[in-house]
């Protein structure tokens, strides 16, 4: 976990340095334009190929990420209103309609600052609420008779890859880092914010 987070911070700061100090990348506002600037002196065929690959990979990742988040939102609504027996695709449609006004009106970073704090509070709640509940009530009240809790389970290749995939997915900000830097009021403060604020927060949330 620490190694993945360190690699994430390192790659992000390297990208920031290229974005801020490479003459052909200064002022770029999209990941594709950033790559075009970085390969400005490369052969034409190479530059075109990498730009096409970059655009495809970024858009594919964004679509996959939005589908995953929409699936999570649909499952969350289904759990919240568990008395209503509605299929998951319908819950996903309801979630999309609920989020649409925010997505349509948030054209720039900071448009909905309250959502940022709600997101932080939600992340902390998913960790602190169960821990608080178990501390007060204990686990015996919810433990299934005859079940056992193992602090460490036997590692398998499937479990290791699944865990690594989850952590890696949570540390893939590079696909939208250029757009974030372009929206920042003080982009020179990005390394400080990323290494001293974002990285420790991610480490605590993932570890706990």
């Amino acid at each position: 976990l620490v190694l993945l987070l360190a690699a994430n911070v390192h790659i992000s700061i390297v990208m920031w340095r290229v974005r801020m100090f490479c003459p052909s990348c200064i002022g770029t506002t999209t990941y594709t334009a950033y790559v075009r600037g970085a390969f400005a002196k490369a052969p034409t065929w190479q530059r075109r190929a990498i730009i096409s690959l970059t655009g495809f990979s970024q858009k594919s990742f964004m679509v996959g990420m939005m589908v995953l988040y929409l699936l999570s939102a649909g499952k969350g609504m289904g759990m919240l209103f568990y008395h209503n027996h509605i299929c998951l695709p319908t819950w996903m449609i309801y979630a999309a309609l609920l989020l649409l006004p925010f997505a349509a009106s948030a054209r720039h970073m900071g448009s909905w600052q309250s959502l940022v704090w709600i997101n932080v509070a939600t992340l902390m709640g998913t960790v602190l609420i169960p821990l608080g509940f178990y501390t007060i009530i204990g686990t015996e009240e919810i433990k299934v008779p005859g079940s056992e809790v193992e602090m460490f389970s036997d590692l398998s290749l499937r479990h290791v890859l699944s865990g690594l995939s989850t952590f890696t997915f949570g540390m893939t900000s590079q696909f939208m880092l250029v757009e974030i830097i372009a929206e920042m009021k003080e982009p020179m403060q990005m390394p400080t914010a990323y290494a001293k604020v974002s990285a420790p927060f991610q480490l605590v949330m993932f570890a706990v």
Side-chain angles (χ1 to χ4, degrees):
L1 175 59
V2 174
L3 181 62
L4 288 174
L5 184 59
N8 179 29
V9 173
H10 172 71
I11 294 171
S12 298
I13 293 178
V14 170
M15 289 183 63
W16 169 82
R17 291 181 62 184
V18 174
R19 162 63 170 73
M20 298 302 296
F21 302 109
C22 178
S24 56
C25 294
I26 295 176
T28 54
T29 57
T30 64
Y31 190 33
T32 303
Y34 171 87
V35 172
R36 182 182 292 110
F39 283 80
K41 296 183 180 180
T44 302
W45 69 270
Q46 190 179 81
R47 184 171 62 255
R48 289 178 177 175
I50 198 65
I51 289 174
S52 299
L53 179 62
T54 299
F56 175 78
S57 62
Q58 184 188 34
K59 291 178 176 61
S60 299
F61 176 80
M62 292 297 182
V63 170
M65 184 172 60
M66 287 189 292
V67 170
L68 181 61
Y69 285 158
L70 189 58
L71 178 63
S72 300
K75 292 179 66 176
M77 292 191 68
M79 294 177 183
L80 185 62
F81 303 102
Y82 60 92
H83 290 297
N84 299 308
H85 299 284
I86 302 176
C87 63
L88 180 58
T90 303
W91 281 124
M92 293 173 64
I93 293 175
Y94 290 158
L97 293 175
L98 179 64
L99 297 173
L100 182 61
F102 301 101
S105 58
R107 303 298 298 174
H108 301 282
M109 286 182 60
S111 299
W112 291 92
Q113 294 186 8
S114 58
L115 293 182
V116 177
W117 293 106
I118 292 175
N119 184 40
V120 173
T122 301
L123 290 174
M124 296 182 66
T126 56
V127 175
L128 298 179
I129 291 175
L131 291 178
F133 178 83
Y134 294 145
T135 301
I136 298 173
I137 304 299
T139 58
E140 296 299 327
E141 296 292 332
I142 60 173
K143 187 177 180 180
V144 178
S147 63
E148 296 181 358
V149 178
E150 297 181 359
M151 183 174 296
F152 300 100
S153 61
D154 296 331
L155 290 178
S156 65
L157 181 62
R158 182 173 65 86
H159 291 153
V160 170
L161 293 178
S162 176
L164 286 175
S165 297
T166 301
F167 290 137
T168 304
F169 173 77
M171 300 179 185
T172 48
S173 58
Q174 292 80 14
F175 276 100
M176 51 189 173
L177 187 63
V178 177
E179 287 83 355
I180 293 175
I181 294 174
E183 291 281 341
M184 292 180 67
K185 294 180 180 179
E186 299 181 15
M188 293 299 294
Q189 297 299 319
M190 181 269 176
T192 302
Y194 205 89
K196 295 184 178 181
V197 179
S198 177
F201 180 78
Q202 292 181 63
L203 180 61
V204 171
M205 289 295 102
F206 277 120
V208 175

